[in-house]
């Protein structure tokens, strides 16, 4: 994709030898650290097969990343989740097309959350208790459906920690932009934004922003990193 990823794989792998590399968040953390390693790139045929298996075509920036930089590994947070290439000769499935990502689904889920039935709204009889149980069971079933649908049309790309995730939208009007799954904080899906900005962020902007910051911190001498506050 033009010059977007020119030299990026080499820049990332070079960070394995940077003097302050361990100061970069997510790089070295028990078994979860990416240690600035990148998986091999995929071939066009492999990417085509993965897309057919998932019923979607990846946004151009992410697709070219898989072809030119790597199929997972070093990146923001605890690193990029891998995209597993198909086994040789593996036939591509033909699932239905991926559903559209719907930003408004979060508001629908929050509205449903606010409508949770409470026992205090029902009477004291055994019949009232049965009505409450039936109402809450129906509410709970719908809540699960809505909660699961929030990530429709999106690809989980990183784990931020504490059950927060970063996603790349694959379908719908928000295709190609980065979002955050913050359901652990009961906030649903929210757009990823840089500090002091309201603009949507694309995959390339997100990844290259991380790389620039990682380089600035990792290539400092460890004793000076704390002084500059990188």
């Amino acid at each position: 994709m033009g010059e977007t990823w020119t030299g990026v794989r080499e820049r990332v792998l070079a960070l394995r030898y940077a003097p302050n590399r361990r100061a970069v968040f997510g790089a070295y953390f028990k078994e979860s650290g990416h240690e600035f390693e990148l998986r091999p790139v995929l071939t066009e045929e492999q990417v085509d097969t993965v897309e057919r298996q998932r019923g979607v075509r990846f946004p151009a920036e992410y697709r070219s990343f898989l072809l030119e930089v790597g199929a997972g590994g070093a990146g923001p947070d605890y690193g990029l989740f891998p995209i597993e290439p198909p086994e040789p000769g593996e036939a591509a499935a033909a699932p239905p097309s991926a559903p559209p990502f719907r930003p408004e689904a979060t508001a629908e889920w929050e509205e449903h959350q606010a409508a949770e039935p409470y026992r205090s709204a029902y009477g004291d009889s055994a019949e009232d208790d049965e009505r409450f149980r039936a109402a809450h069971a129906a509410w709970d079933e719908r809540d699960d459906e809505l909660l699961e649908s929030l990530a429709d049309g999106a690809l989980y790309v990183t784990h931020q920690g504490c059950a927060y995730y970063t996603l790349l939208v694959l379908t719908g009007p928000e295709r190609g932009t980065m979002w955050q799954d913050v359901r652990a904080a009961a906030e649903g899906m929210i757009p990823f934004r840089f500090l002091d900005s309201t603009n949507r962020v694309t995959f390339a902007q997100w990844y290259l922003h991380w790389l620039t910051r990682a380089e600035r911190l990792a290539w400092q001498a460890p004793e000076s990193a704390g002084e500059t506050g990188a």
Side-chain angles (χ1 to χ4, degrees):
M1 185 177 175
E3 299 180 355
T4 301
W5 304 117
T6 301
V8 167
R9 182 177 176 89
E10 293 74 17
R11 288 167 61 188
V12 172
L13 295 179
L15 290 171
R16 294 175 295 177
Y17 311 105
N20 200 42
R21 60 189 180 277
R22 292 186 175 276
V24 177
F25 176 81
Y28 296 88
F29 181 75
K30 300 179 181 178
E31 296 81 23
S32 302
H34 54 73
E35 300 184 12
F36 298 109
E37 297 289 347
L38 286 166
R39 291 170 68 97
V41 299
L42 301 183
T43 65
E44 284 274 4
E45 182 180 3
Q46 287 174 325
V47 175
D48 288 343
T49 302
V50 170
E51 289 175 329
R52 287 196 297 272
Q53 290 173 335
R54 294 170 179 257
V56 69
R57 186 170 177 83
F58 294 136
E61 291 180 351
Y62 183 69
R63 196 174 201 278
S64 59
F65 182 91
L66 298 176
L67 295 168
E68 300 175 38
V69 182
D77 309 322
Y78 290 104
L80 301 180
F81 294 137
I83 295 293
E84 298 292 345
E87 295 294 329
E90 181 180 344
S97 297
F101 177 79
R102 299 175 57 249
E104 64 271 21
T106 288
E108 294 172 4
W109 174 63
E110 291 173 344
E111 183 178 350
H112 180 74
Q113 285 273 299
E116 179 179 2
Y118 288 94
R119 182 65 183 85
S120 57
Y122 292 75
D124 298 325
S125 69
E127 184 179 286
D128 291 328
D129 191 57
E130 284 299 316
R131 288 194 304 112
F132 164 71
R133 290 178 183 275
H136 198 277
W139 176 90
D140 196 47
E141 181 178 358
R142 179 57 176 159
D143 192 64
D144 288 343
E145 293 173 356
L146 289 171
L147 196 60
E148 184 176 350
S149 73
L150 296 185
D152 282 350
L155 175 71
Y156 281 87
V157 290
T158 70
H159 179 210
Q160 301 177 17
C162 299
Y164 296 166
Y165 295 87
T166 307
L167 305 90
L168 169 64
V169 176
L170 306 180
T171 60
E174 295 287 349
R175 173 179 163 83
T177 62
M178 307 301 296
W179 285 63
Q180 299 184 80
D181 178 347
V182 289
R183 287 179 287 187
E187 294 184 35
M189 304 293 177
I190 61 174
F192 181 94
R193 294 190 174 102
F194 293 135
L195 190 63
D196 299 326
S197 174
T198 59
N199 296 330
R200 292 289 197 265
V201 176
T202 69
F203 178 80
Q205 291 170 334
W206 173 77
Y207 192 88
L208 294 174
H209 180 264
W210 165 80
L211 179 56
T212 299
R213 289 175 60 87
E215 288 176 321
R216 190 168 68 231
L217 179 58
W219 286 110
Q220 295 181 76
E223 62 272 13
S224 66
E227 299 173 6
T228 60

